[in-house]
């Protein structure tokens, strides 16, 4: 794992954006796994600004609420359209988001997994992290081998996301999410986390034992994972000095 610590979210995002752009430039038909939430918004802005060619890019989003109309202001369909898709030349048929209104949810989940495989698997998965350590919507005690399926949100996540919905009561209880097993099959994983509210979750994910009680700790099993943090999110890492040392001493060929 590589832990990139930058002073501010903007600098950390810029570092991640450069590497995402490199993946797109090197492979114009890359398959990207995308995340929602406030954390990747700036990343998408940077990618839009870079004027990349998305005409052959395929994307798969991690998750979606169940039962929200796709055009609801807080659906992840709306989030992706507003924050990325309508600003780039991606083909609508290449941008996949779980369908939280599928009549047969279980059937849809299997189909989503098949679509990811048919596209050749995900080259690069972008992740955020919940304050309870969730990735996608894989809440604590999610199986580390889980696949795309329905999940029930924790009260903590409902509280965290109430700010987008105006009240806790308005946050859907159920969601569809890629599983941890699905996420770990991506060839590369970038996890972004900023702010002090994420510091405990990041310390547990990077330095804690791997456990289903901290879903993000499963990323320790991934052979090519990078964490992009600001100082606040990194503030509870006991080996932060080592991670900075590694970054500052990267061999030229690895930069
Ligand atoms: C949401 C999303 C996650 C996201 C997390 C953190 O619940 N399903 O994919 O990583 O919460 O959100 P934020 O970036 O707004 O803190």
């Amino acid at each position: 794992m590589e832990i990139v610590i930058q002073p501010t979210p903007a600098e950390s995002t810029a570092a991640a954006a450069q590497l995402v752009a490199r993946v797109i430039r090197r492979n114009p038909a890359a398959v990207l796994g995308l995340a929602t939430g406030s954390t990747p918004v700036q990343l998408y802005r940077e990618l839009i600004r870079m004027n990349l060619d998305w005409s052959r890019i395929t994307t798969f989003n991690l998750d979606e609420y169940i039962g929200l109309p796709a055009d609801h202001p807080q659906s992840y369909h709306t989030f992706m359209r507003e924050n990325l898709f309508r600003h780039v030349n991606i083909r609508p048929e290449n941008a996949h988001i779980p369908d939280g209104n599928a009549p047969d949810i279980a059937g849809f989940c299997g189909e989503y997994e098949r679509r990811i495989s048919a596209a050749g698997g995900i080259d690069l998965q972008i992740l955020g992290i919940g304050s309870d350590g969730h990735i996608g919507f894989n809440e604590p005690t999610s199986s580390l081998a889980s696949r795309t399926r329905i999940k029930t949100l924790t009260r903590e996540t409902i509280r965290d996301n109430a700010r987008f919905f105006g009240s806790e009561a308005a946050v859907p209880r159920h969601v569809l999410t890629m599983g941890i097993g699905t996420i770990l099959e991506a060839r590369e994983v970038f996890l972004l986390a900023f702010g002090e509210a994420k510091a405990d979750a990041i310390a547990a994910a990077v330095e804690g034992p791997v456990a289903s009680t901290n879903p993000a700790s499963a990323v320790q099993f991934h052979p090519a994972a990078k964490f992009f943090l600001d100082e606040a999110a990194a503030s509870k890492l006991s080996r932060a000095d080592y991670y900075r040392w590694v970054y500052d001493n990267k061999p030229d060929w690895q930069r």
Side-chain angles (χ1 to χ4, degrees):
M1 294 193 298
E2 184 174 352
I3 318 298
V4 179
I5 305 171
Q6 296 289 303
T8 62
E11 286 157 284
S12 197
T13 297
Q18 287 301 333
L19 294 182
V20 177
R22 193 164 75 182
V23 168
I24 294 176
R25 289 195 186 104
R26 283 188 180 166
N27 178 7
V31 179
L32 303 180
L34 300 178
T36 53
S38 48
T39 305
V41 169
Q42 192 56 36
L43 173 72
Y44 297 146
R45 275 196 202 131
E46 297 249 343
L47 293 174
I48 293 163
R49 205 178 41 80
M50 288 173 180
N51 239 332
L52 301 159
D53 180 11
W54 292 72
S55 61
R56 292 171 58 211
I57 296 291
T58 298
T59 62
F60 287 92
N61 264 79
L62 283 165
D63 48 14
E64 177 59 289
Y65 294 105
I66 289 185
L68 274 195
D71 62 356
H72 186 282
Q74 294 308 329
S75 78
Y76 288 164
H77 281 74
T78 301
F79 176 98
M80 290 310 303
R81 190 180 60 246
E82 292 306 313
N83 287 290
L84 181 63
F85 295 152
R86 76 182 179 87
H87 305 282
V88 297
N89 64 336
I90 191 163
R91 290 174 188 223
E93 65 271 28
N94 289 348
H96 306 269
I97 303 177
D99 179 1
N101 292 293
D104 169 13
I105 292 281
F108 175 82
C109 291
E111 178 57 28
Y112 201 66
E113 292 276 339
R114 279 190 291 279
R115 279 189 218 160
I116 294 173
S117 300
I122 292 172
D123 292 305
L124 169 62
Q125 177 68 55
I126 310 290
L127 294 176
I129 186 171
S131 62
D132 64 0
H134 73 240
I135 49 176
F137 266 136
N138 293 283
E139 296 285 31
T141 68
S142 287
S143 159
L144 300 184
S146 50
R147 313 300 308 190
T148 304
R149 71 213 182 290
I150 185 171
K151 287 293 290 180
T152 305
L153 296 180
T154 60
R155 293 191 171 177
E156 184 173 346
T157 300
I158 289 173
R159 250 190 328 270
D160 285 351
N161 288 4
R163 67 189 197 276
F164 299 116
F165 286 84
S167 73
E168 286 182 27
V171 182
R173 271 32 180 175
H174 299 112
V175 293
L176 280 184
T177 182
M178 278 187 205
I180 296 175
T182 320
I183 291 168
L184 292 182
E185 280 173 12
R187 290 177 194 96
E188 260 189 294
V189 170
F190 289 2
L191 189 152
L192 281 65
F194 310 127
E196 216 187 319
K198 300 292 172 70
D200 285 319
I202 285 296
V206 174
E207 297 178 338
V210 174
S212 65
T213 45
N214 190 306
S217 66
V219 174
Q220 292 177 33
F221 280 125
H222 197 282
K226 289 183 170 56
F227 286 72
F228 293 89
L229 310 174
D230 67 346
E231 287 290 353
S235 59
K236 295 194 175 160
L237 289 169
S238 64
R239 295 169 197 271
D241 285 345
Y242 175 61
Y243 311 138
R244 289 193 195 90
W245 166 259
V246 170
Y247 193 70
D248 292 342
N249 287 285
K250 272 194 161 200
D252 281 342
W253 58 268
Q254 228 188 31
R255 277 179 188 279

